[in-house]
């Protein structure tokens, strides 16, 4: 069944109007008509089954019918990713949504090879991934911020998995096996690596956990997917 994220409150018998893009998708692309059912979620009220009640050239209306799943959220996990080229960044955001990250926070490092990101475009990608994977919330995508500024304002209660490619850190699963669940973040550097200054700064943080992603140098998108997968296996909602 088609799933859509909407901003509206969801409750029994609620009358809902889709925006132009979603209306076109349902009526023209998916050929849905009056009486057909879809699943709706908003990140707050769970997942609802709804029936299409109106189809016009410009809008589709629905009525919420029944709660299918109560609201649930995944682990409190941020992905901090140094800005990379657009296509790779879009892949990273998509896979972060699929793998359960709650937030994606682009960062600017000394060796970052990009300086901007279209947050609206990345949010749309995260939304589509959430719709397709069955999660009940959409990860937020923040505006890019300098790494030093981000760490200056850091909540020390959130552990930071620092993927260190220098080669002298423990493998990820070994580094995480003595760690506790709770708020976490994963930091992936640029394809040029962290500068010596940044690496020294990160190593000095009491909440940082340096870890190696293996003997090969990975591209940023591969590193992000690998780190998210391994963290989920060790501490996330893949564990019993």
């Amino acid at each position: 069944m088609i799933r859509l994220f909407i901003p509206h409150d969801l409750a029994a018998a609620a009358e809902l109007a889709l925006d132009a893009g979603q209306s076109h998708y349902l009526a023209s692309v998916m050929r849905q008509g009056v009486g057909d059912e879809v699943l709706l979620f908003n990140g707050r009220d769970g997942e609802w089954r709804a029936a299409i009640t109106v189809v016009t050239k410009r809008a589709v209306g629905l009525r919420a019918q029944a709660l299918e799943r109560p609201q649930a959220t995944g682990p409190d996990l941020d992905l901090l990713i140094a800005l990379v080229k657009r296509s790779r960044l879009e892949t990273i955001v998509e896979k972060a949504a699929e793998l359960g990250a709650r937030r994606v926070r682009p960062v600017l490092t000394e060796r970052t090879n990009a300086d901007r990101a279209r947050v609206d475009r990345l949010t749309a990608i995260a939304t589509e991934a959430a719709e397709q994977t069955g999660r009940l919330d959409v990860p937020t995508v923040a505006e890019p911020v300098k790494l030093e500024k981000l760490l200056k304002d850091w909540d020390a209660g959130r552990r930071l998995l620092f993927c260190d490619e220098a080669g002298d850190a423990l493998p990820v699963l070994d580094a995480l096996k003595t760690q506790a669940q709770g708020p976490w973040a994963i930091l992936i550097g640029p394809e040029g690596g962290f500068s010596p200054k940044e690496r020294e700064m990160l190593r000095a943080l009491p909440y940082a956990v340096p870890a190696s992603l293996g003997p090969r140098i990975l591209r940023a998108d591969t590193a992000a997917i690998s780190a998210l997968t391994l963290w989920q296996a060790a501490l996330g909602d893949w564990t019993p």
Side-chain angles (χ1 to χ4, degrees):
M1 191 178 293
I2 296 168
R3 299 181 78 243
L4 293 175
F5 174 82
I6 62 172
H8 312 298
D9 292 337
L10 290 167
E15 300 287 345
L16 307 160
L18 298 182
D19 63 27
Q22 290 179 322
S23 295
H24 172 76
Y25 172 72
L26 271 189
S28 300
V29 178
M30 302 305 296
R31 303 293 184 182
Q32 300 293 291
V34 173
D36 288 329
E37 294 183 336
V38 300
L39 295 173
L40 304 175
F41 67 105
N42 60 10
R44 305 182 303 274
D45 301 319
E47 181 179 71
W48 286 76
R49 179 165 44 86
I52 297 175
T53 55
V54 178
V55 178
T56 70
K57 291 183 178 180
R58 295 186 177 182
V60 170
L62 306 101
R63 179 181 296 112
Q65 295 182 319
L67 178 66
E68 294 290 306
R69 289 191 291 162
Q71 185 62 39
T73 56
D76 188 356
L77 176 64
D78 292 1
L79 175 64
L80 279 52
I81 178 70
L83 279 181
V84 292
K85 294 179 181 179
R86 185 183 69 181
S87 61
R88 292 192 182 277
L89 184 60
E90 290 180 354
T91 297
I92 289 167
V93 169
E94 178 185 69
K95 301 312 176 186
E98 293 178 11
L99 289 166
R102 190 176 296 185
R103 288 166 290 270
V104 179
R105 307 183 70 177
V107 297
L108 301 168
T109 68
E110 292 185 11
R111 295 176 177 172
T112 296
N113 59 10
D115 60 0
R116 64 186 64 185
R118 283 192 54 189
V119 173
D120 58 341
R121 166 70 178 159
L122 296 175
T123 298
I125 290 170
T127 300
E128 183 176 350
E131 291 171 342
Q132 293 177 350
T133 56
R135 63 183 289 174
L136 296 176
D137 61 338
V138 173
T140 59
V141 181
E143 291 287 345
V145 62
K146 289 184 177 181
L147 177 61
E148 188 173 351
K149 165 65 175 172
L150 183 67
L151 296 176
K152 181 179 178 182
D153 300 330
W154 194 264
D155 176 2
R158 181 178 297 278
R159 305 289 286 172
L160 176 64
L161 178 63
F162 157 42
C163 296
D164 187 356
E165 63 183 15
D168 58 350
L170 288 174
V172 173
L173 291 178
D174 289 340
L176 292 178
K177 68 182 179 181
T178 58
Q179 300 293 325
Q181 293 179 320
W184 273 85
I186 296 171
L187 173 61
I188 304 293
E191 294 186 348
F194 293 107
S195 71
K197 176 184 174 183
E198 289 169 334
R199 187 167 176 269
E200 182 180 357
M201 174 181 65
L202 288 163
R203 285 275 185 152
L205 298 173
Y207 49 80
V209 178
S212 168
L213 289 175
R216 287 165 290 279
I217 301 298
L218 305 179
R219 290 184 181 271
D221 49 348
T222 307
I225 294 167
S226 299
L228 285 164
T229 300
L230 292 168
W231 185 91
Q232 280 283 29
L235 295 174
D237 55 10
W238 293 8
T239 59

